């Protein structure tokens, strides 16, 4: 089952700067082979449901190993059977709607 | 890895009433053996990471089988290594704080 | 505009135990007059959109005053025009579906 | 109070294609003067708390006017008092961490 997802991982109990931990997760994603893109409020992911979830779980495990005592993660995950759709196509659909409106 | 989670499943393209689909997911949770509780904005879950995720995936699969073309789900999932904690204990911790404040 | 909402407030940079801060927010909700219920992954709210958002903003302001340097909050907010619905009715709709299934 | 936020708006009861509605929200954001960026799982926003929330509320109102009977929105909103930070800086912090790791 293909999915498009986003996750935001919040390490708790390790102070106010979290970028070090997010960078470790990016490394895990890089090695996962999934399509991903970091943005200001999380990381978008595209691929098989199991591979996506496995990568997020690996982030939790790695961060706990690094000494993070508590982690809170928010995941958005979407699946559809009506058609295949990539992350790029989702954004392009909205852009196309905006342009058709602008040209009216 | 133990986790406390919440998921909100939003079937898209099947009209405005979603309770039928949420009820199907509740049935899946009932059969999963996980501790769960339905509330007004989602369902809370307690158990092993893999079992939680497996139950959510089974909901997506079942709803697609029922003809739902698109599903968007939001998951919150928390893990901690400093101590074990149940959902009931999370709520009780806040209650205890509130009461100690009231009695001051 | 009436809404049903949920928020999960995550104070960052103040250690691993967050219940003290959640309890302060509960106090703000209590004073707000909104219908609310604490659960294991957040707090559900029912009322006018503006009052809900105002309460969440007041939590951020109060926690920053208490010295929390960084706060990350997740809000789910739902509105509908087809009918009025309370939080209790949302849960009851699912229960009714489950029971009609059980009795088949 | 400055904030960095993300919202994902899910119109319910209007079929499976939602890009038309997201495009209408983009238009509202464009007129709001807020810094925003659309991505595959939502829209990131940067600005004053009140302006951000006002824009999201305006999206709900506009979509209901267009005939959407039910809307479910997920908002992430973060505030911090330790320092000012833009969306671009959040992403840059992670990139800097990644690069310092790569160069070891």
């Amino acid at each position: 089952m293909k999915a498009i997802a986003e996750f935001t991982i919040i390490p708790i109990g390790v102070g106010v700067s979290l970028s070090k931990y997010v960078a470790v997760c990016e490394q895990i994603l890089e090695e996962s082979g999934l399509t991903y893109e970091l943005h200001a409020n999380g990381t978008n992911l595209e691929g098989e449901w199991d591979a996506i979830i496995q990568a997020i779980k690996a982030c939790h495990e790695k961060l706990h190993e690094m000494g993070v005592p508590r982690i809170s993660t928010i995941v958005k995950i979407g699946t559809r059977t009506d058609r295949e759709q990539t992350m790029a196509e989702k954004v392009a659909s909205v852009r196309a709607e905006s342009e058709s409106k602008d040209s009216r």
Side-chain angles (χ1 to χ4, degrees), chain A residues 19-33:
Chain A
S19 53
K20 173 171 73 170
Y21 303 101
V22 178
V24 168
C25 290
E26 296 295 298
Q27 186 61 29
I28 288 170
L29 295 175
E30 184 60 36
E31 290 160 13
S32 74

Side-chain angles (χ1 to χ4, degrees), chain A residues 31-83:
Chain A
E31 290 160 13
S32 74
L34 291 163
T35 300
Y36 72 95
E37 56 186 18
L38 177 70
H39 61 77
N41 289 292
T43 302
N44 292 335
L45 295 170
E46 180 183 311
E48 284 294 321
W49 174 293
D50 290 343
I52 287 171
I53 296 296
Q54 183 51 42
I56 298 172
K57 186 185 176 191
C59 290
H60 272 246
E61 290 172 334
K62 180 68 179 171
L63 264 49
H64 282 314
E65 273 174 41
M66 290 170 66
V68 180
R70 186 177 181 180
I71 305 169
S72 187
T73 292
I74 302 99
V75 182
K76 293 177 192 162
I77 189 159
T79 57
R80 56 194 308 175
T81 52
D82 58 331
R83 63 183 180 106

